[in-house]
């Protein structure tokens, strides 16, 4: 969960998000070193009288400043491509959930069960219980078993939406008449918040996403209760 004056990302709750955080730190360090070098060169050019002709005209320097950026781009591209393929990898999911975007709420359908589905609306501010987060809490959470591969099929019924949960490293567009799929594994139990990340209309800011990861036996009890209620 993000907190006021937070400068970095939320703590990772999935293996993919952990990889994304490592890649961010790796790339940020490269950017920091490049910025430091460029700043040093600017200061040196302004404050130093250059009289060495070998600095002004040198084939070796031209080779270095051509090859070095190529090496840096490779150091950034290879881990980026690796994470990109990891994010697209979906192997033998234990559970499939269809998330459908509406104006302005989400509906979830657990496709492995016959009649397990519900709508998820934001809880109005005046109805919040103590400890609940304004504009982020919903009346029905998407409950998933922890440490299990979960596949999410994302679509929309009316306009473009986007199903995004930062702590899980997920952001998938919900496009009408199209099914997009993504997957995640929660590393630990907890409640993870997200919001629609596509400007979808007047109440775009009022369709939050809440994913609750629980142990498998708790999930089975929850699913049994939901099926009995339906």
């Amino acid at each position: 969960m993000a907190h006021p004056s937070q400068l970095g990302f939320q703590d990772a709750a999935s293996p993919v998000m952990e990889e994304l955080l490592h890649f961010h730190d790796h790339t940020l360090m490269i950017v920091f070193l490049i910025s430091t070098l460029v700043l040093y060169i600017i200061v040196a050019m302004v404050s130093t009288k250059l009289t060495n002709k070998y600095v002004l005209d040198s084939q070796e320097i031209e080779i270095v400043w051509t090859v070095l950026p190529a090496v840096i781009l490779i150091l950034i591209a290879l881990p980026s491509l690796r994470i990109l393929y990891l994010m697209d990898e979906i192997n033998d999911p234990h559970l499939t959930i269809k998330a459908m975007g509406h104006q302005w709420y989400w509906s979830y359908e657990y496709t492995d069960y016959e009649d397990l589905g519900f709508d998820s609306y934001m809880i109005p501010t005046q109805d919040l219980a103590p400890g609940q987060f304004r504009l982020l809490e919903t009346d029905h959470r998407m409950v998933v078993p922890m440490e299990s591969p979960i596949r999410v099929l994302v679509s929309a019924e009316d306009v473009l939406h986007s199903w995004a949960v930062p702590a899980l490293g997920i952001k998938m567009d919900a496009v009408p008449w199209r099914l997009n799929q993504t997957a995640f594994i929660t590393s630990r139990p907890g409640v993870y918040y997200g919001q629609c990340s596509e400007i979808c209309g007047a109440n775009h800011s009022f369709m939050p996403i809440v994913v609750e990861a629980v142990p498998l036996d708790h999930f089975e009890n929850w699913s049994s209760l939901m099926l009995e209620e339906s």
Side-chain angles (χ1 to χ4, degrees):
M1 180 66 192
H3 56 79
S5 71
Q6 178 175 329
L7 297 179
F9 291 99
Q10 298 181 28
D11 292 338
S14 70
V16 168
M17 189 59 189
E18 290 179 4
E19 293 290 336
L20 289 172
L21 289 179
H22 293 157
F23 175 69
H24 169 266
D25 297 340
H26 165 74
T27 308
L28 190 63
M29 183 56 65
I30 293 176
V31 172
F32 174 76
L33 293 175
I34 293 174
S35 301
T36 304
L37 177 62
V38 171
L39 179 61
Y40 168 77
I41 293 174
I42 292 175
V43 172
M45 291 286 291
V46 172
S47 60
T48 306
K49 185 177 181 181
L50 299 176
T51 57
N52 192 328
K53 66 177 183 178
Y54 296 108
V55 176
L56 298 177
D57 184 14
S58 174
Q59 185 175 358
E60 289 77 9
I61 291 179
E62 293 181 0
I63 293 175
V64 169
W65 71 39
T66 301
V67 173
L68 189 59
V71 173
I72 293 174
L73 290 176
I74 292 174
L75 292 176
I76 295 176
L78 291 181
S80 174
L81 291 173
R82 173 178 172 270
I83 297 175
L84 184 64
Y85 280 100
L86 284 175
M87 294 175 69
D88 286 339
E89 196 71 27
I90 301 177
N91 290 323
D92 191 23
H94 295 176
L95 182 67
T96 299
I97 303 173
K98 182 179 179 182
M100 182 72 71
H102 307 269
Q103 288 183 315
W104 286 272
Y105 65 95
W106 293 96
S107 62
Y108 299 102
E109 178 185 342
Y110 289 68
T111 59
D112 299 286
Y113 296 82
E114 186 173 353
D115 291 313
L116 181 51
F118 51 84
D119 296 331
S120 180
Y121 291 88
M122 186 193 75
I123 298 178
T125 303
Q126 63 270 18
D127 298 332
L128 289 174
Q132 291 184 327
F133 297 104
R134 175 178 172 270
L135 302 182
L136 289 177
E137 198 62 61
T138 60
D139 56 354
H140 291 93
R141 295 174 173 176
M142 189 183 98
V143 181
V144 298
M146 58 175 288
E147 297 180 342
S148 298
I150 310 297
R151 176 172 57 185
V152 183
L153 303 176
V154 184
S155 186
E157 191 179 57
D158 35 50
V159 298
L160 290 174
H161 299 278
S162 184
W163 200 81
V165 184
L168 300 176
I170 292 178
K171 183 179 183 297
M172 181 58 65
D173 287 341
V175 183
W177 312 111
R178 175 175 178 150
L179 274 181
N180 291 328
Q181 69 174 354
T182 184
F184 65 89
I185 301 174
T186 53
S187 305
R188 59 181 184 274
V191 180
Y192 310 108
Y193 295 90
Q195 288 179 303
C196 175
S197 297
E198 189 76 45
I199 299 177
C200 57
N203 293 331
H204 155 69
S205 302
F206 305 104
M207 49 183 303
I209 301 160
V210 184
V211 178
E212 182 176 358
V214 298
L216 180 59
D217 54 344
H218 292 187
F219 173 78
E220 292 175 345
N221 294 334
W222 172 84
S223 60
S224 299
L225 290 174
M226 291 294 292
L227 288 172
E228 290 176 2
E229 291 178 1
S230 61

